[in-house]
Amino acid sequence: MAKALYFIFLFSLFFSASLGAQVSASSAEQKHLTFGVLESPPLVQRTPEDFLQGFYIDLLREYAKLHNHSIDFAVTRSTSMLEKLETGQFDLLIGFNPEQYPQTQWVFSKESLVTHWAEVFTHISRSGKIYSLPDLDKRSIGLVQQTNASTNLKNLCNSFQIRCNIKQYPSNEALLKALEQGIVAAIVLDTLEAQTYQNQQILHSTGIVFAPRNKYLMGLKGRSEALLQNLDIQLAAWKTQADSHYETARQTWLQTPQAAPVSPLSATPLSAIKQPLLTDRVRWGLMIAGFFILLGTLLLWRNSKQGMRMLRLERDVLQRNESRFRNLLENIPYGLQDIDLNGQILFANSSYYKQITIFEAIKEAEEQRRVQQYLKVLSIEQPEHPDPIYTTLKCRRKSGCAVRMEWSYKYDEQDQLTGFFVLVTDVTGVGETKKRIRDYHIQLKKVADERKADLMDAYNDLLITAAVFENTSEAIMVIDLEACLTSINPAFESMTGFNKEQTLGQPLSMMASKKHDASIYPRLWEKLLNQQCWQGEVWNQRANGSIYPGWLSINVVLNSDEEVTQYVALLSDITKRKQYEKQIWRQANYDALTQLPNRNLFHRRLEQAISRVRQDKHQAALMFIDLDHFKEVNDTLGHDAGDELLKAATRRIVDAVRKNDTVARMGGDEFTVILPIVEKPDIAIQIAKKILEGLNQSFTLNQGEVNISGSIGIVICPKDGEDLTTLLKNADIAMYKIKEHGRNGYYLYQKES
């Protein structure tokens, strides 16, 4: 204390006036600092009023306040931040990693501002599926593109031979949307970014973390070292105090755990402070010297108090470490001993063996001599891997404790052997354990022999199943719980044109054609989950783009706990069946000679026209057409000529009607025409005239030229009838009316009074 006061007195006497002037000027001067930041909540974020806040902002504002600095923050783009730092627009940049920038141009703080890492999250509603890294196998994992997390996760999965499907998205919002829709099973977020979404109760942490990163302050080499040193000193001091502003800011903004506090940096040496020269104003120097004597006394008292506090903190840390070390040694399931070259036990984690030699701890005298001789050999020869010794030690059991003793050497600073460390393992129960294992193996072999026949039957069943899977003509697919294909058979490749490389890992919907709406597969999976099976007709698309009809059957596969483990689907190509059904339907509804609707299809379409008349309150018309003189042509020229004439007459009748009208053949030379909508009866008369005009023209057949005409009866619905039977009867009556009047014309039905 006296030496310190004497030093301060001399210092004040010789340099007081100039130092006082400098101190006055320095205290009055306020240094202005500008920090460049990238907006990254919760480290830096804007309020609705466009103010900046966050962990970095609170921390550096407190530093400026303590050191009497004014401070500004400028949010910048990453492309221009280095240029602004180099040109002096920024004093420092906040939150950067030294590994990404050359150390020849840039300098960084030694103390990190914050530590964060990448972490795997699932959706809160599906939090029970992923617990550890192996659970990522065969799952889709989403992350934001153009980040290091993708490479780190791939390397991590490759190290443990885990096959996960990594999908990249342009933003965190797109990433969360994919998680909510179940497109991915889990996502990767930065621990700091995840805080926002965890507060919204969206994410569930799996505890899988990787790629830890520290963020530091960054400056220009040759200009920023002094400022970074002062900041390091302040950060180090804060991190040693449990109630510091650093801890307060971290608890306010960050939810991620912080690394253990580091030791405070040493103070700047006094020789580094530049002092001004002595002036001639002795009187002022003596006054200021007295002031500095008082100030020095106070500083020494304060420093001694701080020193005592630091000593107490260090003592507490040492005591805690010692207690932790002692608890660890006392509770490990092994004996640990430190012995000298004479076998004296210097330390043991069991009080039963303290203050004796290792030989006295051995139960049998013969064993004591054997171990003593073995230690002499170890001391002289010092083999690289000493053999363990099995012996029996004295203990609370009367029979003693059978142990295994393993040896390692203890050397002093001159590399001289001073003793041994002994690891003692209790192997008393090893013999009984070995016997139980042998008995278990015998019993297991007996059970295996008894089950041999069952296993062979099961093996044969597997061979048959595999043969069916590989050789069946129907496509077989195995689908996982994420609705993605995990296995296909050769018939699938032959039917669809997709090979295994194109198919495995892809969703079942990859084969869907545009003939289906987007809701077919969600409805399919909903029914499958409720009823555990689904089957139905689908329209799929082959690899070459062609579309084909298929019959798809899907069934769930359950384990012994009745839990769904996967799905098995069977797909058949029903193109030929659909063509056959279409052919049968056409044969049942169309005339084979003229390809016109036959009587069955005519009746259905007439019923539809009558129904629309009732519903829409408009009129429809029905015509019965009989070909005049057709029988003479058929009898004179033959049936082939008759068939040729029927086909030619059909074309002329079809050409005379409208696009939505129906022409049907009732049989023989009788035809019908349905006009589903007519504004007035004149429309039907105009069409009838057009039909007669076409029939009256000569027909050139292979056997020669013939002439025919037509007789047409017309009825109007609902005036002449409101049902199919009435309309057919009245149309037939109208047709015969025109035949009675000489044929080759039309007759509009009139109800007889």
Side-chain angles (χ1 to χ4, degrees):
M1 177 71 74
K3 289 183 179 180
L5 293 177
Y6 180 68
F7 171 77
I8 292 172
F9 173 74
L10 291 178
F11 176 80
S12 303
L13 183 61
F14 288 103
F15 304 104
S16 56
S18 296
L19 182 59
Q22 183 178 351
V23 169
S24 298
S26 175
S27 60
E29 181 185 359
Q30 185 182 50
K31 188 173 182 179
H32 181 79
L33 300 175
T34 302
F35 291 89
V37 294
L38 295 173
E39 188 167 358
S40 176
L43 301 174
V44 178
Q45 61 192 39
R46 294 182 185 273
T47 66
E49 297 80 14
D50 207 30
F51 292 113
L52 291 179
Q53 63 180 11
F55 175 72
Y56 288 164
I57 306 301
D58 280 9
L59 206 62
L60 293 171
R61 279 178 178 163
E62 180 65 16
Y63 169 79
K65 180 180 177 182
L66 291 175
H67 293 272
N68 193 29
H69 298 329
S70 62
I71 188 168
D72 282 335
F73 296 95
V75 177
T76 182
R77 297 190 303 272
S78 58
T79 55
S80 62
M81 60 186 181
L82 296 180
E83 180 182 350
K84 291 182 178 181
L85 180 61
E86 195 169 5
T87 57
Q89 297 179 53
F90 296 153
D91 291 290
L92 293 176
L93 296 178
I94 308 175
F96 290 86
N97 193 332
E99 297 176 0
Q100 301 174 356
Y101 301 94
Q103 303 294 313
T104 57
Q105 186 177 4
W106 312 105
V107 289
F108 294 85
S109 61
K110 296 180 180 178
E111 293 291 331
S112 64
L113 292 168
V114 68
T115 301
H116 58 113
W117 47 82
E119 186 166 0
V120 179
F121 296 89
T122 59
H123 195 275
I124 193 71
S125 63
R126 300 185 290 273
S127 59
K129 292 186 177 181
I130 297 178
Y131 300 97
S132 60
L133 192 63
D135 294 332
L136 300 182
D137 192 39
K138 298 181 181 178
R139 296 185 185 271
S140 297
I141 312 300
L143 44 75
V144 176
Q145 62 190 10
Q146 295 181 350
T147 63
N148 294 329
S150 175
T151 303
N152 290 328
L153 183 58
K154 286 180 180 178
N155 293 338
L156 188 63
C157 291
N158 290 338
S159 299
F160 292 92
Q161 296 183 347
I162 294 172
R163 298 171 296 171
C164 57
N165 181 19
I166 297 178
K167 297 184 177 181
Q168 300 192 3
Y169 293 88
S171 64
N172 285 343
E173 288 69 23
L175 194 64
L176 288 167
K177 185 176 180 181
L179 181 64
E180 289 182 336
Q181 294 177 349
I183 299 175
V184 295
I187 62 174
V188 175
L189 283 176
D190 188 279
T191 46
L192 298 179
E193 295 173 345
Q195 290 184 202
T196 303
Y197 308 110
Q198 284 179 307
N199 292 337
Q200 298 174 11
Q201 296 183 345
I202 296 174
L203 301 178
H204 171 77
S205 173
T206 64
I208 303 173
V209 296
F210 59 93
R213 298 184 299 279
N214 291 326
K215 295 295 184 180
Y216 298 85
L217 289 157
M218 176 180 178
L220 184 65
K221 199 164 189 178
R223 190 181 68 196
S224 305
E225 286 86 344
L227 179 57
L228 286 174
Q229 184 181 22
N230 291 335
L231 282 163
D232 275 331
I233 293 172
Q234 185 63 65
L235 286 171
W238 274 340
K239 289 182 181 180
T240 60
Q241 303 170 13
D243 56 349
S244 68
H245 186 78
Y246 180 91
E247 185 64 24
T248 302
R250 191 180 69 79
Q251 292 179 2
T252 301
W253 294 102
L254 309 180
Q255 297 177 3
T256 58
Q258 180 68 17
V262 299
S263 301
L265 298 176
S266 58
T268 304
L270 194 60
S271 59
I273 302 175
K274 296 182 180 180
Q275 302 295 347
L277 296 176
L278 181 63
T279 68
D280 295 331
R281 288 177 281 187
V282 178
R283 183 169 58 88
W284 285 99
L286 292 175
M287 292 175 62
I288 294 174
F291 168 75
F292 272 97
I293 290 173
L294 178 60
L295 179 62
T297 304
L298 293 174
L299 288 174
L300 287 174
W301 175 79
R302 180 176 176 272
N303 290 338
S304 63
K305 185 177 180 180
Q306 289 181 345
M308 291 298 294
R309 185 175 68 176
M310 293 300 296
L311 287 174
R312 285 195 298 270
L313 288 174
E314 292 178 3
R315 183 193 62 190
D316 293 342
V317 170
L318 288 174
Q319 288 177 348
R320 286 196 299 270
N321 290 339
E322 181 183 1
S323 177
R324 188 181 302 113
F325 175 72
R326 187 172 299 279
N327 288 333
L328 174 66
L329 287 180
E330 294 296 340
N331 290 282
I332 59 174
Y334 304 99
L336 184 62
Q337 298 175 0
D338 177 7
I339 65 174
D340 60 17
L341 294 176
N342 297 319
Q344 181 69 37
I345 299 176
L346 306 177
F347 170 83
N349 61 344
S350 174
S351 59
Y352 190 80
Y353 299 112
K354 292 179 181 178
Q355 306 301 325
I356 60 174
T357 65
I358 192 171
F359 315 118
E360 294 171 331
I362 297 174
K363 187 175 182 181
E364 301 294 336
E366 183 62 31
E367 283 293 306
Q368 292 178 7
R369 288 190 291 271
R370 183 172 71 90
V371 173
Q372 191 170 13
Q373 182 62 33
Y374 181 74
L375 280 186
K376 290 180 180 179
V377 173
L378 287 185
S379 302
I380 298 171
E381 298 181 1
Q382 298 184 27
E384 183 176 358
H385 300 290
D387 295 329
I389 286 181
Y390 291 88
T391 187
T392 303
L393 297 182
K394 300 174 184 176
C395 63
R396 294 178 179 84
R397 292 195 293 265
K398 291 183 179 179
S399 59
C401 299
V403 296
R404 182 177 188 264
M405 305 177 75
E406 299 175 73
W407 311 83
S408 60
Y409 303 107
K410 181 176 64 172
Y411 297 97
D412 60 13
E413 295 179 354
Q414 286 74 37
D415 204 26
Q416 297 296 318
L417 182 66
T418 60
F420 304 92
F421 295 110
V422 187
L423 183 65
V424 182
T425 306
D426 190 342
V427 295
T428 304
V430 171
E432 297 177 359
T433 302
K434 289 182 178 179
K435 182 179 182 301
R436 287 196 298 269
I437 292 174
R438 284 194 299 271
D439 293 342
Y440 175 75
H441 284 170
I442 293 172
Q443 184 65 25
L444 188 62
K445 185 177 183 305
K446 181 179 178 182
V447 173
D449 292 339
E450 294 173 353
R451 295 290 303 278
K452 184 176 181 179
D454 295 337
L455 291 173
M456 288 301 299
D457 291 341
Y459 177 70
N460 290 332
D461 290 342
L462 288 174
L463 291 178
I464 294 171
T465 302
V468 171
F469 183 83
E470 292 294 329
N471 299 295
T472 183
S473 61
E474 295 181 309
I476 301 176
M477 298 161 281
V478 181
I479 308 167
D480 64 15
L481 298 180
E482 304 292 335
C484 293
L485 300 175
T486 60
S487 181
I488 58 173
N489 69 339
F492 177 91
E493 299 184 31
S494 176
M495 181 185 300
T496 66
F498 292 106
N499 56 36
K500 289 185 178 181
E501 289 73 17
Q502 297 171 305
T503 306
L504 299 186
Q506 298 299 318
L508 178 63
S509 58
M510 67 170 286
M511 299 184 296
S513 69
K514 293 183 179 180
K515 277 198 171 187
H516 292 302
D517 57 31
S519 63
I520 179 174
Y521 279 99
R523 288 189 279 107
L524 181 155
W525 287 111
E526 181 180 359
K527 186 174 181 180
L528 180 62
L529 292 175
N530 292 333
Q531 301 181 6
Q532 297 193 343
C533 64
W534 183 91
Q535 61 178 354
E537 185 177 302
V538 294
W539 286 91
N540 287 341
Q541 181 170 306
R542 294 186 174 92
N544 61 9
S546 62
I547 297 174
Y548 67 97
W551 186 261
L552 179 64
S553 300
I554 307 179
N555 291 276
V556 302
V557 179
L558 305 176
N559 60 15
S560 58
D561 297 325
E562 297 297 318
E563 296 174 338
V564 178
T565 59
Q566 57 190 357
Y567 307 94
V568 175
L570 195 67
L571 178 64
S572 302
D573 187 344
I574 58 173
T575 302
K576 292 184 179 179
R577 190 179 82 184
K578 297 289 285 187
Q579 293 172 347
Y580 180 66
E581 290 174 352
K582 184 177 180 180
Q583 181 181 357
I584 293 176
W585 182 85
R586 187 165 187 85
Q587 290 174 351
N589 292 279
Y590 284 85
D591 178 58
L593 177 65
T594 64
Q595 301 303 312
L596 292 175
N598 62 12
R599 186 183 299 273
N600 292 332
L601 185 54
F602 163 75
H603 283 170
R604 288 202 299 274
R605 291 190 179 180
L606 183 57
E607 288 283 7
Q608 292 172 359
I610 295 171
S611 177
R612 290 187 61 185
V613 168
R614 293 170 183 165
Q615 180 178 350
D616 300 337
K617 307 300 182 185
H618 60 246
Q619 298 182 92
L622 173 65
M623 298 180 183
F624 264 28
I625 304 172
D626 187 78
L627 301 182
D628 301 329
H629 310 298
F630 173 77
K631 187 174 185 305
E632 290 84 342
V633 175
N634 203 39
D635 292 343
T636 303
L637 301 178
H639 291 292
D640 291 341
D643 289 346
E644 188 179 357
L645 178 59
L646 285 174
K647 292 179 182 179
T650 295
R651 289 193 292 272
R652 295 186 183 183
I653 296 172
V654 170
D655 290 341
V657 302
R658 300 170 303 183
K659 182 179 180 180
N660 294 326
D661 298 336
T662 297
V663 179
R665 183 188 178 198
M666 303 298 287
D669 60 345
E670 293 183 351
F671 295 85
T672 59
V673 177
I674 302 172
L675 308 177
I677 299 176
V678 291
E679 289 77 8
K680 52 186 178 180
D682 290 348
I683 301 296
I685 293 172
Q686 292 174 7
I687 294 174
K689 289 179 179 180
K690 195 173 180 180
I691 293 173
L692 291 173
E693 182 181 350
L695 293 176
N696 286 332
Q697 297 178 14
S698 298
F699 290 88
T700 302
L701 307 179
N702 292 330
Q703 291 82 352
E705 189 175 281
V706 297
N707 292 287
I708 63 172
S709 60
S711 299
I712 304 175
I714 307 172
V715 294
I716 303 299
C717 178
K719 180 176 74 67
D720 299 330
E722 298 185 18
D723 60 82
L724 183 144
T725 303
T726 303
L727 290 173
L728 292 176
K729 182 185 72 173
N730 292 339
D732 192 57
I733 292 172
M735 183 185 70
Y736 279 100
K737 283 287 184 182
I738 191 60
K739 282 185 176 291
E740 292 173 0
H741 288 79
R743 303 180 180 180
N744 192 21
Y746 65 88
Y747 182 83
L748 187 63
Y749 176 79
Q750 299 292 331
K751 187 176 182 181
E752 296 180 358
S753 57

